[in-house]
Amino acid sequence: MNNSIALKSILNKETQRFMRIWVQTLVPPAITISLYFIIFGSLIGSRIGDMGGVDYMSFIVPGLIMMSVITNSYSNVASSFFSAKWQRNVEEMLVAPVPNWVIVAGYVGGGMARGILVGLIVTLVSLLFVDIQIHNVWVIVATVTLTSATFALGGLINAIFARTFDDISIIPTFILTPLTYLGGVFYSISLLPEFWQGVSQVNPIVYMVNAFRYGFLGVTDVSIGTAFMVIGFFIVTLFAIAMTLINKGIGLRS
């Protein structure tokens, strides 16, 4: 009972945190994605034609939604947990009679909530530009849930290691953003030379975007089974790392 109360408390705090400032957390992604649709979809897409056997505008919709989910799941946990660490709130949670997995689950759940909510908003915005198809709703739900959990865990690990507010922007700027843009959001990796196709297969975001795209359009550059195996591997690995860091107090205790 105590664990469920603690988990609910952290989830409520994290959800209220980003909902309270919704103009800063939920509106900007919708505006940004609208610009992507206008520039890449309407202007450039009309010259590209089809991609992967479907209209280019329809092709990029799943990738843009997933990009928003990834970015917001990651940034929500990274900023929130680091703020708690900076204000010494984490130390209070660590000495409370609550298992560390509850702390991890609470923050990750908050990041997932924001990521999925932003993904839903972006999906609604995309309806202004294209008619969305749904090939397999269960693949869509599973992919967005698992992907948001993966990057929420990544944001938590980033926050644990960060020593200043500037540190929480290093990973998104130099690693996350390049991986996202090279993850098949705007193109099919089958168009790349064989060498770069091989390189792309090392990028986990390729599997997430393609699994999500398969859920909408039924087209993919990778095996769906492989995609879920990759996502599952990263969730287990990142959760184990996060738990190890918190259990040992690395980056948390002064």
Side-chain angles (χ1 to χ4, degrees):
M1 179 63 70
N2 290 336
N3 291 346
S4 62
I5 294 174
L7 178 60
K8 184 178 179 180
S9 298
I10 298 174
L11 281 173
N12 286 340
K13 178 179 72 71
E14 289 301 293
T15 303
Q16 291 173 9
R17 174 182 172 273
F18 70 78
M19 290 299 295
R20 187 169 55 250
I21 51 173
W22 61 272
V23 175
Q24 301 174 39
T25 56
L26 303 181
V27 175
I31 297 174
T32 301
I33 293 304
S34 297
L35 294 175
Y36 277 121
F37 278 124
I38 294 172
I39 297 172
F40 289 95
S42 301
L43 300 180
I44 298 177
S46 60
R47 292 170 171 77
I48 294 177
D50 291 348
M51 179 75 69
V54 298
D55 175 75
Y56 184 71
M57 180 78 88
S58 299
F59 181 86
I60 67 173
V61 166
L64 291 175
I65 297 172
M66 185 55 66
M67 184 168 67
S68 299
V69 171
I70 289 171
T71 303
N72 285 274
S73 298
Y74 190 99
S75 62
N76 189 79
V77 183
S79 59
S80 178
F81 193 82
F82 180 78
S83 295
K85 188 174 76 168
W86 183 265
Q87 296 167 0
R88 308 286 185 181
N89 295 338
V90 171
E91 295 178 0
E92 297 176 3
M93 287 189 288
L94 291 176
V95 299
V98 175
N100 289 336
W101 68 263
V102 172
I103 300 174
V104 173
Y107 277 94
V108 169
M112 291 174 64
R114 176 175 165 183
I116 293 173
L117 181 57
V118 168
L120 179 60
I121 293 173
V122 171
T123 302
L124 295 176
V125 170
S126 68
L127 291 174
L128 301 175
F129 301 92
V130 64
D131 292 329
I132 293 181
Q133 308 174 40
I134 295 181
H135 177 72
N136 190 319
V137 67
W138 299 114
V139 171
I140 293 174
V141 172
T143 305
V144 74
T145 301
L146 295 175
T147 299
S148 60
T150 301
F151 284 93
L153 284 166
L156 179 63
I157 294 171
N158 186 178
I160 291 174
F161 281 113
R163 295 187 176 183
T164 66
F165 281 99
D166 291 335
D167 291 340
I168 63 175
S169 65
I170 293 176
I171 299 297
T173 301
F174 295 102
I175 297 179
L176 191 57
T177 298
L179 287 178
T180 302
Y181 280 99
L182 296 174
V185 173
F186 299 104
Y187 59 87
S188 169
I189 64 172
S190 62
L191 299 176
L192 300 174
E194 185 175 348
F195 172 78
W196 290 108
Q197 287 187 39
V199 172
S200 295
Q201 291 177 5
V202 181
N203 183 354
I205 295 180
V206 166
Y207 298 91
M208 300 168 184
V209 169
N210 274 277
F212 200 57
R213 181 173 289 131
Y214 175 82
F216 281 101
L217 305 174
V219 298
T220 177
D221 295 324
V222 300
S223 164
I224 296 300
T226 302
F228 280 109
M229 287 178 61
V230 170
I231 299 172
F233 168 79
F234 274 94
I235 287 180
V236 172
T237 302
L238 293 176
F239 179 78
I241 293 173
M243 285 299 299
T244 300
L245 293 173
I246 292 180
N247 288 336
K248 293 185 177 180
I250 297 175
L252 302 178
R253 295 188 175 96
S254 304

